Amino acid sequence: MADLQEIICSVDEHRKEIVVRLLDFSATDTILYLRECISDEKMLRCLNSAIQLANVFLRTKFEENSGLEVSGVNLAQRAQLKVFLDKLDNESLVVLFLVATELKSVLLGVLFLYNAFSVQDIFNLAFAEELEEQNIWGKDEFVTQRHSEIFDKLISWEKFCDERGLFKN
């Protein structure tokens, strides 16, 4: 946690960079490209809920994509996302940034900040494609270890947010 506190203390000098990176990242958010990779109905319902709820929190209209093309609608959400990011305190911005970069999903980072889904559900959405492949082809020890490390980070960040009352709900 000391490392996290050090990062928070240095946010002011890097805030603009952090916001720009999150904005650039948002249109290609991992969960916006998942539909074609998921066959589990429960996971598809969770995906729908996640995107809808993130849009409610952000007051945006992010939509799912198919293929590799980035949606113009998703690119157009930058301005509203920037309003949201600019209002975050340093601690919340750092947590969002860490979660978003670890999971490749700004939207999941927002859901994390609102404590809207369990850490397990957020993790499962972030790695839905890999988890589905593991169910088909079997587990890979390297991937399993990496997943475990990421999950542990999420739990640590959840504890940090809980202890400091950072959750937005």
Side-chain angles (χ1 to χ4, degrees):
M1 295 288 189
D3 293 338
L4 191 53
Q5 197 58 49
E6 288 174 26
I7 294 168
I8 290 166
C9 289
S10 68
V11 165
D12 284 330
E13 61 192 77
H14 300 288
R15 188 174 183 91
K16 185 176 178 183
E17 297 167 51
I18 292 169
V19 169
V20 167
R21 191 158 172 210
L22 289 169
L23 291 172
D24 289 345
F25 198 34
S26 65
T28 57
D29 196 290
T30 297
I31 68 170
L32 299 175
Y33 292 86
L34 279 180
R35 176 142 323 265
E36 295 175 358
C37 307
I38 300 174
S39 61
D40 181 73
E41 278 301 316
K42 182 180 176 193
M43 185 62 69
L44 286 170
R45 285 191 303 276
C46 189
L47 173 63
N48 288 338
S49 295
I51 294 170
Q52 289 174 5
L53 197 52
N55 278 327
V56 168
F57 293 145
L58 295 170
R59 297 183 179 160
T60 54
K61 296 177 182 172
F62 282 102
E63 65 182 15
E64 292 181 85
N65 286 328
S66 59
L68 299 175
E69 198 162 318
V70 177
S71 161
V73 170
N74 291 342
L75 288 171
Q77 304 312 303
R78 287 176 60 103
Q80 187 59 36
L81 177 58
K82 185 173 184 334
V83 169
F84 175 85
L85 296 173
D86 286 343
K87 289 180 182 177
L88 292 178
D89 58 76
N90 287 352
E91 289 177 316
S92 298
L93 183 64
V94 166
V95 170
L96 174 58
F97 180 78
L98 291 172
V99 173
T101 54
E102 194 70 56
L103 303 181
K104 316 292 186 269
S105 176
V106 175
L107 300 180
L108 288 176
V110 168
L111 295 176
F112 184 92
L113 268 185
Y114 276 87
N115 202 21
F117 284 74
S118 70
V119 168
Q120 186 67 61
D121 285 341
I122 288 173
F123 177 87
N124 289 347
L125 280 171
F127 295 102
E129 185 175 7
E130 288 180 22
L131 295 170
E132 188 140 327
E133 287 177 8
Q134 284 183 356
N135 285 336
I136 296 168
W137 304 108
K139 296 194 185 247
D140 175 280
E141 191 169 321
F142 173 75
V143 172
T144 301
Q145 178 63 33
R146 184 173 59 85
H147 283 177
S148 177
E149 291 168 4
I150 292 168
F151 190 81
D152 289 346
K153 286 179 187 178
L154 291 172
I155 294 295
S156 169
W157 297 332
E158 179 185 47
K159 181 179 178 190
F160 180 85
C161 289
D162 192 42
E163 289 172 348
R164 286 161 181 77
L166 293 181
F167 288 126
K168 302 297 177 199
N169 52 5

